[in-house]
Amino acid sequence: MADYNVIVIGAGPAGYVAAIRCAQLGLKTACIDKWINSEGKSSLGGTCLNVGCIPSKALLDSSHHYYFMQKHAATHGISCKELEIDVAAMQARKANVVKKLTQGIGALFKKNKVTSIEGTARLVGNQQVEVTAADGSKQTLTTDNIIIATGSVPTQIPVAPTDDQLIVDSTGALAFDSVPQRLGVIGAGAIGLELGSVWSRLGSQVTILEALPDFLATADRKIATFAQRELKKQGLDIHLGASVTGTTVANNEVTVSYKDNKGEQQLVVDKLIVAVGRKPNTEGLGDIQINERGFIEVDEFRQTAVPGIYAVGDVIGGPMLAHKGSEEGVMVAERLAGQKSEMSYDTVPWVIYTWPEVAWVGKTEADLKAAGVAYKVGQFPFAASGRAQAHGDTTGMVRILADAETDRLLGVHIFGISASELISEAVVAMEFEGSAEDLARTIHAHPTLAEAVHEAALGVDGRMIHA
Ligand code: FAD
Ligand code: AMP
């Protein structure tokens, strides 16, 4: 008999969720993870909890409080004469949030009887995994099934090699111990915009260089245009069509060379963040089939070419988002326990945690035009929302796209306060194949920001009340 029914490799949001679900369903499960944090201690939760979703949101929230006190508090009748930033305290709070949550995964493993193993895993056969502990000792475990959830690491580009001092990746940018005066960011994706926002709110002069000609190329065009304008107002200097060609470090500053439609340009900064995406992490994993982009190849149920070996999360590509990986983990676990679970990517929500936030689910107008689908649009501005007015944050809008014939919801796009929370209503409605009429007939509490979603749904049929 094998040591385990399932061995999960990696304890990020894809792996730890898969492991817990396997154990809940009665499978004898171990989860192996190699993460060592900046204190030299092993830490569960992967990129997401240690150096991704959670610490970035902790700093976004702290920096937003500061920005609010500086720019908006006075309009609420609140004044503060001596506002100061204590970066060390801000970082300590972030570390504490991370510590609580990563330790929480350990507690969840215990409660659900998942065996947690510290070390680096390597496939040594279809049903064997070798684990090398931090002290170099090795053990080989046997298992009926393997779920690979080894995640991703920041992409490095030869034109801007990170040195962990002046040129850093997202992990380095989450750990600055002071506010850089001039900050460059390569890449205007979610990570570049979020980290750029953190340090801009705290006082950095931020320049973002993005190679693509369009801002947030995969988002709704109207939302992207509004978001770009708003971020510019906040001080983010975003250069589109700007491809970085080289960097030099001298005298404690970085000179970034880039090419745009005006020709060769240069930018001098005190710190440079490289945020050009993430690549799958399969290093040292052993014999596993990967595609030309380095992702592990899987079928619709996330099984690799080898029966009994599955892969989930960032390491298989698709939307490289924590919640995508978690759902894949749940599906694989349930199928291993004999259930017929399925999952599609059609209703995976996307969120960018700028202020305000950008969130969407489903198709954009560009997607629908390209597919020749006739659609109707309902659009409601937050400026017409009582709750947004009361809050003092009226930027942005909700846009709903519905099938012109059937009224089925095809896409929902939000730029505005709490968009990350508001999008869930749209996800649920779309998961149930709902229509704009379904949202329009749903009673929304007053006054709430969610009323803006309700109004946009009414707007699909030209019957908004408040705009
Ligand atoms: P990971 O979280 O990368 O976990 C993989 C784990 O496997 C790691 O712990 C690693 O140590 C371990 N491992 C790897 N190889 C081995 C091995 N051979 N043996 C043992 N263990 C191994 N996503 C969102 O959805 N929302 C956000 O707001 C968001 N913000 C982000 C902000 C930043 C700054 C970054 C960098 C990412 C962010 N992401 C966000 C992306 C998100 O973090 C990833 O999509 C998610 O962590 C992927 O989960 P995963 O489980 O596939 O892999
Ligand atoms: P994401 O993959 O969403 O995290 O975004 C990364 C962004 O970095 C993409 O929009 C890329 O176009 C951008 N990018 C990649 N390489 C470069 C480069 N050399 N110069 C400027 N932008 C880049």
Side-chain angles (χ1 to χ4, degrees):
M1 211 174 79
D3 297 323
Y4 294 97
N5 297 126
V6 186
I7 288 184
V8 181
I9 305 177
Y16 82 72
V17 170
I20 290 173
R21 190 71 189 120
C22 284
Q24 281 176 348
L25 292 166
L27 299 168
K28 191 176 177 204
T29 307
C31 185
I32 306 168
D33 195 277
K34 66 174 185 182
W35 195 282
I36 301 291
N37 66 16
S38 54
E39 289 168 8
K41 294 192 180 131
S42 72
S43 180
L44 299 170
T47 303
C48 171
L49 268 64
N50 288 288
V51 294
C53 320
I54 296 300
S56 59
K57 268 78 244 175
L59 290 184
L60 278 159
D61 286 340
S62 296
S63 61
H64 180 70
H65 291 317
Y66 176 73
Y67 190 80
F68 171 82
M69 287 305 296
Q70 225 187 20
K71 307 273 179 186
H72 300 296
T75 65
H76 290 261
I78 304 165
S79 64
C80 177
K81 300 252 157 14
E82 281 175 45
L83 202 55
E84 272 179 34
I85 303 171
D86 180 344
V87 176
M90 206 175 274
Q91 292 289 17
R93 190 194 82 94
K94 178 204 78 180
N96 204 27
V97 171
V98 168
K99 192 171 170 189
K100 264 193 208 143
L101 293 171
T102 53
Q103 289 182 348
I105 306 294
L108 291 174
F109 276 176
K110 255 197 203 117
K111 181 170 180 287
N112 287 283
K113 302 198 170 49
V114 173
T115 305
S116 184
I117 302 173
E118 295 171 15
T120 302
R122 188 169 70 91
L123 305 176
V124 287
N126 291 356
Q127 292 178 307
Q128 280 186 41
V129 177
E130 179 192 79
V131 189
T132 307
D135 64 5
S137 62
K138 289 188 195 296
Q139 59 171 321
T140 300
L141 303 167
T142 58
T143 178
D144 301 326
N145 297 285
I146 296 170
I147 303 177
I148 301 170
T150 48
S152 63
V153 291
T155 303
Q156 296 272 350
I157 44 174
V159 290
T162 54
D163 60 11
D164 294 335
Q165 297 294 321
L166 301 192
I167 307 182
V168 299
D169 59 18
S170 55
T171 303
L174 287 167
F176 289 157
D177 56 11
S178 61
V179 180
Q181 202 197 333
R182 298 162 300 174
L183 175 65
V185 181
I186 310 179
I191 294 175
L193 291 175
E194 292 180 14
L195 294 173
S197 292
V198 165
W199 296 106
S200 158
R201 291 170 193 171
L202 298 178
S204 293
Q205 187 188 317
V206 176
T207 308
I208 303 186
L209 303 173
E210 166 58 54
L212 294 177
D214 292 323
F215 183 63
L216 293 181
T218 54
D220 175 273
R221 283 302 82 212
K222 264 207 179 153
I223 297 267
T225 306
F226 269 81
Q228 187 183 355
R229 202 180 303 155
E230 182 59 30
L231 294 176
K232 190 173 176 195
K233 266 201 263 165
Q234 289 171 21
L236 292 180
D237 187 10
I238 302 168
H239 294 240
L240 299 174
S243 215
V244 173
T245 52
T247 43
T248 48
V249 176
N251 304 325
N252 225 15
E253 51 185 31
V254 187
T255 303
V256 186
S257 306
Y258 64 97
K259 224 194 247 166
D260 63 12
N261 57 8
K262 294 191 205 101
E264 292 286 348
Q265 312 269 359
Q266 284 201 330
L267 169 75
V268 181
V269 291
D270 301 301
K271 296 267 188 194
L272 178 67
I273 304 174
V274 181
V276 295
R278 298 181 59 81
K279 62 169 194 183
N281 181 16
T282 51
E283 207 183 297
L285 195 55
D287 195 16
I288 190 84
Q289 201 173 319
I290 55 173
N291 65 21
E292 67 290 346
R293 295 181 57 217
F295 293 108
I296 297 179
E297 289 276 12
V298 289
D299 67 12
E300 64 173 316
F301 298 122
R302 311 322 184 251
Q303 184 169 262
T304 66
V306 182
I309 303 188
Y310 300 80
V312 294
D314 279 10
V315 77
I316 63 166
M320 289 170 87
L321 299 167
H323 42 286
K324 188 273 310 194
S326 298
E327 277 314 302
E328 289 173 336
V330 168
M331 179 185 70
V332 170
E334 291 181 351
R335 293 189 75 85
L336 287 176
Q339 299 182 5
K340 291 202 169 14
S341 305
E342 291 179 6
M343 148 187 193
S344 96
Y345 290 137
D346 292 348
T347 49
V348 174
W350 294 82
V351 180
I352 301 169
Y353 294 81
T354 46
W355 192 274
E357 295 165 345
V358 179
W360 74 91
V361 58
K363 307 286 186 208
T364 61
E365 286 192 75
D367 296 333
L368 297 174
K369 279 184 187 138
V373 177
Y375 62 93
K376 302 175 285 183
V377 184
Q379 180 174 315
F380 186 80
F382 280 102
S385 150
R387 190 74 179 97
Q389 286 287 353
H391 203 281
D393 266 297
T394 53
T395 305
M397 67 194 68
V398 178
R399 285 169 60 72
I400 295 187
L401 312 179
D403 190 290
E405 217 173 296
T406 65
D407 195 44
R408 184 169 165 181
L409 292 165
L410 300 174
V412 177
H413 303 266
I414 306 176
F415 177 50
I417 174 175
S418 295
S420 58
E421 304 291 342
L422 296 177
I423 200 67
S424 292
E425 174 178 18
V427 175
V428 172
M430 286 178 65
E431 189 64 36
F432 281 87
E433 302 185 0
S435 62
E437 180 71 8
D438 289 327
L439 279 184
R441 293 269 165 214
T442 304
I443 300 173
H444 289 70
H446 175 76
T448 56
L449 296 166
E451 286 173 304
V453 177
H454 182 234
E455 287 276 359
L458 288 167
V460 168
D461 198 26
R463 54 193 167 108
M464 282 190 294
I465 302 292
H466 294 95

